[in-house]
């Protein structure tokens, strides 16, 4: 399957590597790493790889991203922080893995870059397919209820400055009820649904 690189993320890869060098989900991922303990983990939409850090040394790490430039920085990040991850350029809607291959999946700030609920559902069904029975998914999306989005359309573009260029990144802003319904339709049972810890 031929994968075209995501054009709105290739130009920001270098800046993003520096701007978001460490995960903003350290509290959540540290708890998961302790509870999950070990196993084969997929980072679906891994970007430059910052969300791997809490799992290094014990877990077998795999990551996919549609942006070839982001993956170049993920290789650099893994080398800098001394961990190994098997990385592939791939679309979340067509994961290049066999059924029931992973013990755990994290999909952090990636699903909301896919347009249309049907396409988002395809991604969730693919994640469900590659997860072992009773395995868990940790999923984050942008929340339409945040104050800064009160007057923003649910399908929107967020600008990022890369040198003199302004790159527009697509986001779908989810409500709680919308994302909860979507993951249930995909066959998941919700363990918890809440804001990230830094929002208290």
């Amino acid at each position: 399957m031929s994968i075209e690189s995501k054009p709105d993320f290739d130009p920001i890869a270098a800046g993003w590597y520096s701007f978001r060098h460490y995960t903003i989900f350290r509290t959540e991922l540290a708890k998961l790493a302790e509870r999950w303990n070990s196993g084969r983990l997929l980072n679906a939409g891994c970007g430059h790889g910052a969300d791997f850090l809490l799992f290094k040394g014990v877990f077998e790490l795999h990551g996919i991203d549609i942006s070839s430039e982001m993956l170049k920085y993920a290789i650099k990040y893994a080398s800098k922080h001394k961990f190994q991850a098997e990385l592939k350029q791939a679309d979340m809607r067509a994961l290049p893995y066999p059924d029931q291959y992973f013990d755990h999946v994290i999909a952090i700030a990636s699903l909301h870059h896919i347009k249309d609920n049907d396409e988002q559902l395809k991604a969730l069904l693919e994640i469900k397919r590659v997860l072992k029975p009773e395995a868990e998914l940790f999923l984050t999306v942008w929340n339409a209820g945040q104050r800064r989005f009160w007057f923003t359309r649910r399908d929107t573009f967020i600008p990022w400055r890369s040198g003199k260029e302004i790159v527009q990144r697509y986001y779908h802003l989810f409500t709680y009820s919308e994302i909860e319904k979507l993951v249930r339709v995909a066959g998941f049972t919700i363990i918890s649904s809440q804001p990230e810890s830094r929002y208290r």
Side-chain angles (χ1 to χ4, degrees):
M1 179 179 179
S2 176
I3 298 290
E4 292 184 4
S5 198
K6 188 72 171 169
D8 44 353
F9 283 88
D10 285 356
I12 78 167
W16 191 254
Y17 178 86
S18 300
F19 173 74
R20 187 55 55 78
H21 198 72
Y22 295 99
T23 180
I24 62 173
F25 292 100
R26 182 176 183 84
T27 299
E28 291 86 350
L29 296 182
K31 288 179 180 178
L32 286 176
E34 182 178 2
R35 184 160 63 81
W36 288 348
N37 188 44
S38 63
R40 183 180 290 146
L41 179 143
L42 173 64
N43 188 345
C46 64
H48 69 286
D51 299 309
F52 281 125
L53 204 52
L54 277 299
F55 299 98
K56 78 171 191 176
V58 180
F59 292 78
E60 180 185 320
L61 303 177
H62 298 255
I64 65 103
D65 203 277
I66 202 168
S67 167
S68 59
E69 287 298 311
M70 283 290 189
L71 290 174
K72 290 178 184 177
Y73 281 94
I75 293 169
K76 178 180 178 180
Y77 193 90
S79 176
K80 176 180 178 179
H81 292 281
K82 297 180 173 55
F83 65 86
Q84 291 186 334
E86 182 179 318
L87 303 171
K88 296 182 179 182
Q89 187 182 1
D91 190 310
M92 290 174 67
R93 293 163 290 187
L95 295 174
Y97 305 102
D99 295 355
Q100 300 182 12
Y101 190 67
F102 291 102
D103 299 293
H104 326 281
V105 173
I106 60 174
I108 295 175
S110 51
L111 185 71
H112 56 217
H113 294 302
I114 298 176
K115 296 180 182 180
D116 186 76
N117 279 172
D118 288 342
E119 296 301 307
Q120 295 154 4
L121 180 59
K122 283 183 184 179
L124 289 171
L125 288 170
E126 271 293 271
I127 290 172
K128 186 76 162 56
R129 178 184 67 78
V130 302
L131 271 171
K132 293 179 180 178
E134 308 304 319
E136 292 178 4
L137 160 67
F138 176 71
L139 171 73
T140 78
V141 293
W142 275 20
N143 181 358
Q146 291 183 67
R147 182 173 295 179
R148 62 174 169 156
F149 297 140
W150 281 359
F151 303 104
T152 303
R153 286 185 292 184
R154 299 275 304 287
D155 291 287
T156 190
F157 287 86
I158 307 295
W160 175 273
R161 182 177 293 279
S162 180
K164 295 181 180 179
E165 182 183 7
I166 301 294
V167 179
Q168 298 290 344
R169 301 163 297 154
Y170 170 82
Y171 285 78
H172 177 76
L173 307 176
F174 284 91
T175 64
Y176 276 91
S177 60
E178 179 187 16
I179 190 61
E180 289 169 2
K181 178 181 178 180
L182 201 62
V183 296
R184 287 191 179 105
V185 170
F188 289 95
T189 299
I190 297 173
I191 298 172
S192 66
S193 176
Q194 61 197 49
E196 61 193 83
S197 61
R198 68 190 184 128
Y199 286 130
R200 304 189 186 279

